Amino acid sequence: ARAGGLVGGGVMNSTISGSYSDSDITGQGSTGVNTSVGGLVGQAVGGLAIDNSYYSNNNSSTKGLRTLSVNGSNRLGGLVGADDRLALPWISGVSIRNSYAEVGYIQYPGSMTGGGLVGKADSETRVVGSFWRTIFSPDATGNGLGTVDALSGFKTAAQLRQLSTFTDAGWDIDDLGGTGKTWRIYDG
């Protein structure tokens, strides 16, 4: 089973840009089947680029990411549940740039692989200038695979409300209206 705030699964050679979700997302697989749940995408199979996008449910104690699969692997990620890249030389892994996830509620029975941005990553997964604040993982990827640049990282609620957090990571952001920037934030 695959569930995401924008797309459930099978995403390949696509771009998600300037998008967000604050949905309550639930995946339920059959016995012994992997269940992948992500804030934006449940499962990617290669070549997915996510930029200038976010998932946030941080203000809820009952709405968030959940799986109902007792038998099988539960993969939960703030943006992508699983990067199940096809093993073909021309297929790249998930690429996440200038995006963030805030996950304040998860529910899963049995075992779980969870990451702030990607639950189960691939060796080709790439994270650039992106942030996460989750209750379940201090790491970008749940299984430690992929590459995470030095500008990316776990942030506190206060840090995610400061302009400097984003400008220091190279985001197209300011605190003024009408400038044409992709993002706008007011400190505090």
Side-chain angles (χ1 to χ4, degrees):
R2 303 166 303 215
L6 299 177
V7 180
V11 178
M12 185 167 146
N13 294 332
S14 301
T15 299
I16 294 174
S17 182
S19 300
Y20 78 94
S21 173
D22 61 1
S23 301
D24 188 29
I25 306 164
T26 302
Q28 181 172 1
S30 303
T31 300
V33 174
N34 293 334
T35 300
S36 301
V37 178
L40 298 181
V41 176
Q43 177 206 37
V45 293
L48 172 64
I50 296 174
D51 48 86
N52 295 311
S53 298
Y54 70 93
Y55 173 76
S56 179
N57 77 334
N58 197 57
N59 295 326
S60 175
S61 60
T62 60
K63 185 172 88 169
L65 306 177
R66 69 174 56 83
T67 69
L68 303 176
S69 301
V70 177
N71 298 312
S73 176
N74 295 301
R75 294 122 35 120
L76 289 99
L79 295 179
V80 178
D83 182 358
D84 288 329
R85 183 180 67 90
L86 299 175
L88 300 170
W90 61 87
I91 302 290
S92 62
V94 168
S95 170
I96 298 172
R97 184 181 65 83
N98 294 359
S99 297
Y100 74 92
E102 288 188 278
V103 181
Y105 176 82
I106 64 166
Q107 175 187 352
Y108 62 93
S111 65
M112 190 263 293
T113 301
L117 297 176
V118 181
K120 179 213 162 255
D122 178 85
S123 61
E124 296 292 318
T125 303
R126 302 284 178 260
V127 176
V128 176
S130 296
F131 311 116
W132 60 95
R133 178 172 169 248
T134 64
I135 61 168
F136 61 93
S137 179
D139 301 315
T141 66
N143 58 354
L145 293 178
T147 303
V148 180
D149 77 347
L151 299 174
S152 299
F154 179 91
K155 300 295 182 189
T156 65
Q159 289 172 314
L160 286 174
R161 308 295 181 261
Q162 294 174 350
L163 178 63
S164 62
T165 297
F166 300 92
T167 56
D168 292 350
W171 287 45
D172 185 33
I173 189 170
D174 66 19
D175 59 357
L176 305 170
T179 63
K181 297 285 186 177
T182 303
W183 297 89
R184 183 178 319 144
I185 190 172
Y186 301 105
D187 280 344

